[in-house]
């Protein structure tokens, strides 16, 4: 069901039958690097797995979900190895969740989970993501269960490892009121400030603004975005949940969504 989301519109999931089927697309199957992020808001305290994004199949693929302890999890190859957040995210408040993987990073933190722009957990794994069988591709459900209860907004899948700065900036831009406005080409190399005119119904200084330095941080697609669902569609038929990436992998709501 369409609702007011964290950034413009969002989708409400009932936790028992609602999900969005994105179909099977091999162009969403990176092997060495991947990132998944979303704004989520649970509708209750969680005691069983609830899925945000599921591209898993057996010991393959990748997925972003909340575990039975209410912690955010990013799993690789059927959750063979995971990064688990140190804090719960099922407090019925909006949280920005992001999982990243880079098999060639080295060290012991190739899998990362971020909560509200801050690194909250890591996992040690350096194996390529496998897809010998086409994995699932759905929002708000894992397999045929583990339905998500609450709101999901601005779900993004990238075929690179988004940096800590990009993720933190994306959180900062989304946590307050978000306005998307393109600017004309300007050379900022010799400028120390930018003038912004804002219409208001009262005088005074009460507005601060944050500028995103990348398309990802501004909730816009770039060449590495293979899925970007703003969840802004109020109604429609078929795969009407628009994918704003160049892949055009629209999603079909199932259930009451």
């Amino acid at each position: 069901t369409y609702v007011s989301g964290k950034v413009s519109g969002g989708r409400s999931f009932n936790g028992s039958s609602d999900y969005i089927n994105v179909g099977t697309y091999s162009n969403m199957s990176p092997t060495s690097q991947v990132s998944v992020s979303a704004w989520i808001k649970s509708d209750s305290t969680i005691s069983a797995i609830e899925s945000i994004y599921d591209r898993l199949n057996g010991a393959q693929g990748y997925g972003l979900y909340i575990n039975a302890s209410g912690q955010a999890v990013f799993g690789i190859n059927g959750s063979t190895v995971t990064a688990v957040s140190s804090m719960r995210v099922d407090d019925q408040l909006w949280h920005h969740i992001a999982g990243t993987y880079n098999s060639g990073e080295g060290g012991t933190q190739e899998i990362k989970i971020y909560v509200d722009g801050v690194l909250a957990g890591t996992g040690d794994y350096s194996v390529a993501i496998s897809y010998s069988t086409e994995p699932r591709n759905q929002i708000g459900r894992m397999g045929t269960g583990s339905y998500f209860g609450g709101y999901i907004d601005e779900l993004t899948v990238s075929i690179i490892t988004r940096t800590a700065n990009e993720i933190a900036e994306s959180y900062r831009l989304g946590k307050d009121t978000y306005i998307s406005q393109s600017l004309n080409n300007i050379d900022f190399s010799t400028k120390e400030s930018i003038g912004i005119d804002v219409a208001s119904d009262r005088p005074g200084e009460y507005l601060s603004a944050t500028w995103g330095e990348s398309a990802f941080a501004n909730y816009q697609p770039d060449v590495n975005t293979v899925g970007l669902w703003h969840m802004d569609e109020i109604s429609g038929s078929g795969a009407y949940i628009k994918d704003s990436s160049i892949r055009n992998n629209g999603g079909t709501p199932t259930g009451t969504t």
Side-chain angles (χ1 to χ4, degrees), residues 16-69:
S16 60
S17 61
D18 293 347
Y19 71 101
I20 297 174
N21 180 17
V22 186
T24 56
Y25 296 98
S26 59
N27 58 29
M28 299 182 68
S29 302
T31 57
S32 60
Q33 296 187 42
V34 68
S35 302
V36 181
S37 63
W39 281 97
I40 64 101
K41 181 181 180 182
S42 64
D43 61 9
S44 63
T45 300
I46 291 174
S47 59
I49 290 175
E50 295 193 11
S51 178
I52 301 168
Y53 178 73
D54 172 32
R55 188 151 178 76
L56 300 166
N57 194 347
Q60 303 172 43
Y62 54 94
L64 184 67
Y65 57 94
I66 302 174
N67 67 15
S69 298

Side-chain angles (χ1 to χ4, degrees), residues 4 13 83 126 134 169 190 207 233:
S4 177
F13 297 78
S126 57
E134 180 64 29
E169 191 174 43
T190 60
L207 181 146
E233 295 74 23

Side-chain angles (χ1 to χ4, degrees), residues 39 96 116-118 163-175 178 210-219:
W39 281 97
H96 185 264
D116 295 337
V118 177
T163 67
N165 285 340
E166 284 181 301
I167 292 168
E169 191 174 43
S170 183
Y171 162 69
R172 289 195 297 269
L173 263 70
K175 72 183 181 69
Y178 172 82
T210 301
W211 295 89
E213 296 184 0
S214 68
F216 170 79
N218 282 290
Y219 303 98

Side-chain angles (χ1 to χ4, degrees), residues 23-213:
T24 56
Y25 296 98
S26 59
N27 58 29
M28 299 182 68
S29 302
T31 57
S32 60
Q33 296 187 42
V34 68
S35 302
V36 181
S37 63
W39 281 97
I40 64 101
K41 181 181 180 182
S42 64
D43 61 9
S44 63
T45 300
I46 291 174
S47 59
I49 290 175
E50 295 193 11
S51 178
I52 301 168
Y53 178 73
D54 172 32
R55 188 151 178 76
L56 300 166
N57 194 347
Q60 303 172 43
Y62 54 94
L64 184 67
Y65 57 94
I66 302 174
N67 67 15
S69 298
Q71 299 160 292
V73 181
F74 191 52
I76 300 296
N77 280 341
S79 295
T80 299
V81 178
T82 61
V84 182
S85 71
S86 57
M87 74 287 289
R88 299 183 71 109
V89 295
D90 59 343
D91 53 4
Q92 295 87 65
L93 299 174
W94 281 105
H95 292 286
H96 185 264
I97 311 299
T100 68
Y101 179 57
N102 183 353
S103 65
E105 180 177 311
T108 60
Q109 298 184 354
E110 295 89 349
I111 311 176
K112 297 181 174 68
I113 188 77
Y114 296 82
V115 176
D116 295 337
V118 177
L119 181 64
T122 63
D124 183 10
Y125 195 56
S126 57
V127 178
I129 307 171
S130 62
Y131 306 95
S132 59
T133 302
E134 180 64 29
R136 302 180 295 265
N137 197 7
Q138 52 190 352
I139 301 167
R141 184 177 79 160
M142 182 183 295
T144 59
S146 299
Y147 291 91
F148 182 81
Y151 298 169
I152 298 177
D153 195 8
E154 301 300 324
L155 180 63
T156 305
V157 180
S158 307
I159 55 173
I160 62 167
T161 303
R162 297 295 182 180
T163 67
N165 285 340
E166 284 181 301
I167 292 168
E169 191 174 43
S170 183
Y171 162 69
R172 289 195 297 269
L173 263 70
K175 72 183 181 69
D176 298 311
T177 300
Y178 172 82
I179 300 173
S180 177
Q181 179 64 52
S182 298
L183 300 176
N184 295 327
N185 291 332
I186 301 173
D187 182 2
F188 292 123
S189 62
T190 60
K191 298 181 181 298
E192 295 181 354
S193 62
I194 304 172
I196 304 174
D197 295 324
V198 179
S200 174
D201 61 355
R202 68 181 191 272
E205 297 180 2
Y206 54 89
L207 181 146
S208 62
T210 301
W211 295 89
E213 296 184 0

